[in-house]
Amino acid sequence: LKVDVKKERDAADAAMAPSDCAIRITVMITNPVIFGKSIFEADKLLGKPFVISRIHRVDGSVEIASSASILNSGDKISIVSSNSLSEGIAAFFGEKVSLGKLKNRSLSISL
């Protein structure tokens, strides 16, 4: 019985390496299908795993997202998803944007 140590080491390294890490993106909602929908409803429409952590409203307020949060045109949402799904998720909601620094924003929490 002969073992190829290099081949076995390479296979073990590949198995242990993260193939798809989680990333955070910010997306402005521009898809009319999403307007007025809750995060729960958007999740059912998309059918891919993601988390929306915050909603940056057009009026400048910031909301901690829940499944009942309503998504509106122009809202900017902070999303965590796998790297491989991030482009498709961004396209579903609208367009990727940068928030820059957040200054003097109010935070509302809906329970």
Side-chain angles (χ1 to χ4, degrees):
L1 184 67
K2 195 170 186 179
V3 175
D4 184 339
V5 175
K6 181 179 178 345
K7 182 179 176 183
E8 293 297 320
R9 186 178 308 129
D10 290 344
D13 288 345
M16 292 173 41
S19 59
D20 196 16
C21 61
I23 64 165
R24 185 182 55 137
I25 58 173
T26 303
V27 177
M28 183 185 326
I29 297 177
T30 60
N31 180 353
V33 171
I34 303 304
F35 301 169
K37 298 264 194 279
S38 69
I39 292 174
F40 178 82
E41 292 169 312
D43 176 54
K44 296 301 175 205
L45 287 172
L46 182 58
K48 296 185 187 307
F50 67 93
V51 173
I52 297 176
S53 61
R54 287 178 305 286
I55 304 171
H56 304 266
R57 300 288 184 188
V58 175
D59 68 4
S61 64
V62 179
E63 178 183 330
I64 295 174
S66 74
S67 62
S69 296
I70 301 299
L71 303 171
N72 299 304
S73 175
D75 287 344
K76 295 175 183 169
I77 53 178
S78 298
I79 300 173
V80 177
S81 73
S82 67
N83 190 35
S84 64
L85 296 177
S86 65
E87 291 300 321
I89 291 170
F92 173 77
F93 284 104
E95 60 186 73
K96 278 187 180 181
V97 294
S98 172
L99 280 178
K101 289 196 170 197
L102 299 176
K103 296 181 185 177
N104 301 322
R105 302 255 176 142
S106 63
L107 177 65
S108 66
I109 301 173
S110 302
L111 301 176

